[in-house]
Amino acid sequence: MNILFLTHSFNSLAQRLFIELTRCGHDISIEFDISDAVTEQAVELYRPDLVIAPFLKRAIPETVWRSKPCFVVHPGIVGDRGPAALDWAIMHEHRTWGVTVLQANGEMDAGDIWASATFPMRFASKSSLYRHEMTEAAVKAVLAAVARFTSGSYQPMPLDYTRQEVVGRLHAPMRQLDRAIDWQRDDTHAVLKKIYAADGFPGVLDMLYGSLYYLFDACAETELRGNPGTVIARRNDAICRATVDGAVWIGHLKRKSDTEPTLKLPATVVLQEQLADVPEMPPESLPTRCHDGHTTYRDIWFEQKNQVGYLHFSFYNGAMSSTQCERLRAAYLTASQSDVRVIVLMGGADFWSNGIHLNSIEQAASPADESWHNINAMNDLAQAIITNCRQLTLAALQGNAGAGGVFLSLAADRIYARKSVILNPHYKSMGNLYGSEYWTYLLPKRVGEKKARELTHNRLPIDALEAQQIGLIDDCFELNHADFRKQIEQMVEQLAASPDYVRLLAGKCERRARDEQTKPLAHYRAEELRQMQLNFYGFDPSYHVARYHFVYKIPHAWTPLYLARHRRILKTRSK
Ligand code: COA
């Protein structure tokens, strides 16, 4: 079928559905939801059999849903209606939640139901649930709905609240009042729940040092205590605030302003001198547990098990600032001086890496200088990994990776991913950014020149399975996070203990030496950076404009042609 995606943006869910439906043999074209007239034109041009809305913020125009079947992916259980569905599910601590595919009609979320799927809830941020459980359920439900539609005989279920299976309800939008934290009453669990339900958007509005900020990126702290609501410690990017029964770390803040746009930034960067009297609490000063359900906050940590070292870097949204790259490089170099035989680059549970930190760059006094600093810090990190001749390095992609983050993973000797991971191995959609991280050396080596050109020019996402088929990564496993980590551990333990280990390491070092003779790494870097210098400092401001639009989330004014295939057809016709 010809399927038109009508979507607010090409977000991770839309990307995943694009890949899955394409694999089923359907032709997908994408139009951003810009205006009713643009949507009508897209339908006119593409003449789709079906319209799917994976991520919409407005109603579909009547002219469109009356002329074409339109499937809306609603992030709620059957019968749930209204905005902030997942936010309410977290706030109400539902044990299971779901996704419903319904056909658009005149009433919001009230159309006939084509399919649904449920999932167990996890105590985690909204964006994490959305990227994992919600996305898996949405893929199941959309594939079922499309198969039913194709069969031609399936009768969708009308929304009828007297039916047993219709368990959801219409709910109101969630206001900041509903999200507000009462620091004198709310315990750590309640504070975390409120911040989780609002993360990544809109955040919980709260007062700090007499000003209003939106809070994001929270995790529990069980060792520290203080007056509820006060900032009692800082560590790297995060601040620690006491609660009535413990404390929470808050990694990111966005200043509220009614007059100018503001950015989500590391909490210590936003508060700066206000934190002068707040003690820095290095991670070593507390028991070594953290993040992902543990008890304190760290963004980089190293675990050694037998002959293997696991280097975790759980950066919010996968964005890596200059200092984070420098700290990660230092941690990698320290690990490489230890007696481990294999280092595994674990990234974080939600993202492996999304490359340089565009928000930090945007707020720097000179975004061009900070871009330059950040990309050089990324390159230094990539270089340390590529040139390590003491150990084998593996990249274990538990979460998605984009742009420079994908190419950083290629610096490792072997790359493994969870099967549902999405990769965006290209830079161009960020204002024609050329990219660095030694991608001109690493990418063709893995996939060949032709495929490398295709990947970087097409600007499309691929999943782990396709990445494995084209040789970009070595393997992928269809497993949840815990099973993926277990399988990685088993493989790596075997590799480290293998009689082949010495030969493999020697082979890698010989290849590196040969490659260096053919063309030194420094030459690749210099060539890439020459192009990046033009991106950062040249006459064409495309990268700065694209970055500004990206970090301030400026609504799209058009759909790029690499997504809107129907507009490419039009362009070809008019030639
Ligand atoms: N720097 C800063 N923030 C970043 C980022 C980066 N490099 N990459 C992603 N983010 C943020 C987004 O702004 C968004 O923030 P939010 O929490 O306020 O909503 C969040 O991460 C999730 O990103 P989103 O675009 O919604 O996720 P996605 O899974 O739909 O898309 C990407 C993933 C990688 C395709 C997309 O985020 C992207 O294009 N990122 C930029 C990559 C890039 O160009 N890096 C610089 C060159 S190396």
Side-chain angles (χ1 to χ4, degrees):
M1 287 196 296
N2 274 356
I3 300 177
L4 179 73
F5 274 14
L6 177 63
T7 188
H8 177 74
S9 70
F10 196 35
N11 74 346
S12 55
L13 173 59
Q15 294 184 15
R16 181 73 189 283
L17 290 173
F18 171 82
I19 290 165
E20 298 283 349
L21 288 166
T22 304
R23 188 164 286 141
C24 291
H26 301 296
D27 283 325
I28 318 290
S29 191
I30 295 156
E31 187 73 56
F32 290 150
D33 179 30
I34 291 159
S35 72
D36 289 357
V38 171
T39 303
E40 284 163 358
Q41 191 190 42
V43 171
E44 179 73 14
L45 287 171
Y46 193 49
R47 299 183 192 286
D49 302 294
L50 179 64
V51 176
I52 296 183
F55 170 45
L56 262 198
K57 294 193 173 181
R58 302 179 327 129
I60 298 175
E62 183 170 350
T63 45
V64 171
W65 63 256
R66 279 206 188 277
S67 68
K68 295 284 168 197
C70 297
F71 285 1
V72 176
V73 181
H74 176 72
I77 49 174
V78 173
D80 179 86
R81 295 180 59 201
L86 199 45
D87 311 39
W88 282 117
I90 297 170
M91 289 293 247
H92 289 147
E93 302 197 37
H94 288 306
R95 311 229 343 220
T96 56
W97 197 239
V99 179
T100 306
V101 178
L102 40 90
Q103 185 163 351
N105 64 10
E107 240 187 308
M108 203 72 168
D109 305 330
D112 290 354
I113 294 154
W114 281 83
S116 63
T118 56
F119 55 86
M121 286 285 272
R122 180 165 53 94
F123 194 53
S125 73
K126 174 173 62 167
S127 54
S128 181
L129 287 164
Y130 185 87
R131 280 202 184 88
H132 300 297
E133 289 87 344
M134 252 278 313
T135 296
E136 296 306 324
V139 168
K140 250 190 243 163
V142 169
L143 292 185
V146 169
R148 287 168 180 175
F149 177 75
T150 327
S151 78
S153 57
Y154 184 82
Q155 283 301 314
M157 181 178 84
L159 180 67
D160 173 359
Y161 281 101
T162 62
R163 294 178 81 121
Q164 205 187 351
E165 58 270 54
V166 181
V167 284
R169 288 286 169 268
L170 173 67
H171 52 72
M174 193 177 284
R175 304 155 306 166
Q176 278 299 336
L177 208 61
D178 302 312
R179 304 183 188 272
I181 295 171
D182 181 345
W183 290 95
Q184 301 310 315
R185 281 164 177 258
D186 287 341
D187 61 10
T188 300
H189 180 83
V191 172
L192 285 176
K193 181 175 75 177
K194 288 177 177 179
I195 301 178
Y196 283 167
D199 200 347
F201 180 82
V204 174
L205 190 61
D206 195 33
M207 188 73 85
L208 266 165
Y209 300 104
S211 299
L212 285 169
Y213 298 92
Y214 296 95
L215 316 181
F216 304 90
D217 185 17
C219 91
E221 166 60 56
T222 47
E223 310 295 324
L224 301 174
R225 290 280 185 284
N227 273 342
T230 54
V231 179
I232 51 174
R234 53 183 293 179
R235 175 179 307 147
N236 300 326
D237 288 346
I239 54 168
C240 185
R241 289 179 83 177
T243 62
V244 289
D245 63 342
V248 293
W249 289 93
I250 295 162
H252 280 73
L253 297 175
K254 185 174 163 202
R255 188 169 57 80
K256 182 179 181 336
S257 166
D258 297 326
T259 52
E260 52 178 359
T262 56
L263 278 178
K264 199 189 274 185
L265 289 166
T268 50
V269 171
V270 175
L271 295 174
Q272 293 204 1
E273 58 277 2
Q274 322 234 48
L275 300 175
D277 296 332
V278 175
E280 172 82 28
M281 198 73 68
E284 308 79 57
S285 64
L286 288 169
T288 55
R289 289 165 289 158
C290 130
H291 251 160
D292 304 334
H294 302 280
T295 57
T296 193
Y297 164 87
R298 284 175 303 176
D299 55 2
I300 298 174
W301 68 103
F302 182 73
E303 298 171 297
Q304 182 168 349
K305 287 187 195 154
N306 304 319
Q307 296 171 296
V308 181
Y310 299 88
L311 186 54
H312 299 260
F313 40 105
S314 184
F315 300 132
Y316 186 67
N317 282 339
M320 295 170 65
S321 69
S322 304
T323 45
Q324 283 166 330
C325 293
E326 284 157 8
R327 287 196 289 114
L328 184 54
R329 178 173 175 270
Y332 181 82
L333 290 176
T334 306
S336 72
Q337 293 312 309
S338 72
D339 58 355
V340 297
R341 295 182 120 199
V342 183
I343 299 175
V344 189
L345 302 172
M346 298 294 292
D350 284 345
F351 289 104
W352 197 81
S353 167
N354 277 332
I356 55 177
H357 199 310
L358 299 168
N359 291 35
S360 294
I361 289 170
E362 189 64 39
Q363 65 87 46
S366 163
D369 287 352
E370 185 49 34
S371 301
W372 183 255
H373 189 183
N374 204 160
I375 197 65
N376 274 288
M378 277 292 269
N379 284 354
D380 291 342
L381 170 62
Q383 187 196 17
I385 299 166
I386 298 169
T387 57
N388 178 2
C389 271
R390 292 196 73 232
Q391 283 104 357
L392 292 175
T393 302
L394 252 84
L397 277 63
Q398 310 173 67
N400 295 350
V406 178
F407 301 110
L408 179 68
S409 75
L410 305 189
D413 305 305
R414 290 187 190 180
I415 306 138
Y416 299 101
R418 272 194 320 116
K419 210 165 191 174
S420 46
V421 155
I422 302 278
L423 304 173
N424 275 281
H426 47 85
Y427 300 91
K428 275 190 155 192
S429 34
M430 194 54 64
N432 253 335
L433 195 66
Y434 185 80
S436 194
E437 288 102 0
Y438 300 93
W439 75 267
T440 52
Y441 167 58
L442 299 167
L443 183 61
K445 211 155 75 92
R446 279 216 151 243
V447 300
E449 293 288 350
K450 184 166 170 282
K451 196 75 196 170
R453 246 194 324 275
E454 212 177 286
L455 287 171
T456 50
H457 286 258
N458 288 353
R459 314 175 197 194
L460 290 173
I462 58 172
D463 67 355
L465 192 63
E466 185 178 348
Q468 185 210 341
Q469 282 160 356
I470 62 173
L472 185 70
I473 67 172
D474 293 281
D475 205 353
C476 59
F477 323 118
E478 191 170 17
L479 298 169
N480 61 37
H481 280 83
D483 290 344
F484 176 73
R485 282 182 214 149
K486 224 181 270 165
Q487 185 150 346
I488 285 285
E489 275 183 29
Q490 274 169 10
M491 283 176 43
V492 183
E493 288 277 345
Q494 268 171 20
L495 176 65
S498 153
D500 239 13
Y501 173 84
V502 173
R503 188 184 61 80
L504 288 171
L505 183 62
K508 157 191 156 158
C509 299
E510 275 163 28
R511 273 194 306 280
R512 174 85 280 283
R514 263 202 315 273
D515 286 355
E516 188 65 20
Q517 282 217 315
T518 312
K519 179 170 172 177
L521 268 187
H523 287 192
Y524 289 99
R525 180 169 176 153
E527 284 167 8
E528 289 168 6
L529 287 181
R530 253 199 303 280
Q531 298 294 328
M532 290 294 257
Q533 203 163 22
L534 291 175
N535 288 136
F536 300 157
Y537 298 100
F539 287 116
D540 178 357
S542 299
Y543 155 72
H544 297 290
V545 173
R547 189 193 61 240
Y548 180 88
H549 280 78
F550 179 80
V551 300
Y552 286 114
K553 307 192 190 311
I554 311 285
H556 297 284
W558 70 87
T559 311
L561 287 184
Y562 62 89
L563 298 178
R565 297 179 55 223
H566 50 286
R567 296 191 182 278
R568 281 198 302 233
I569 298 165
L570 180 72
K571 209 175 166 198
T572 323
R573 270 197 219 133
S574 64
K575 268 188 190 163

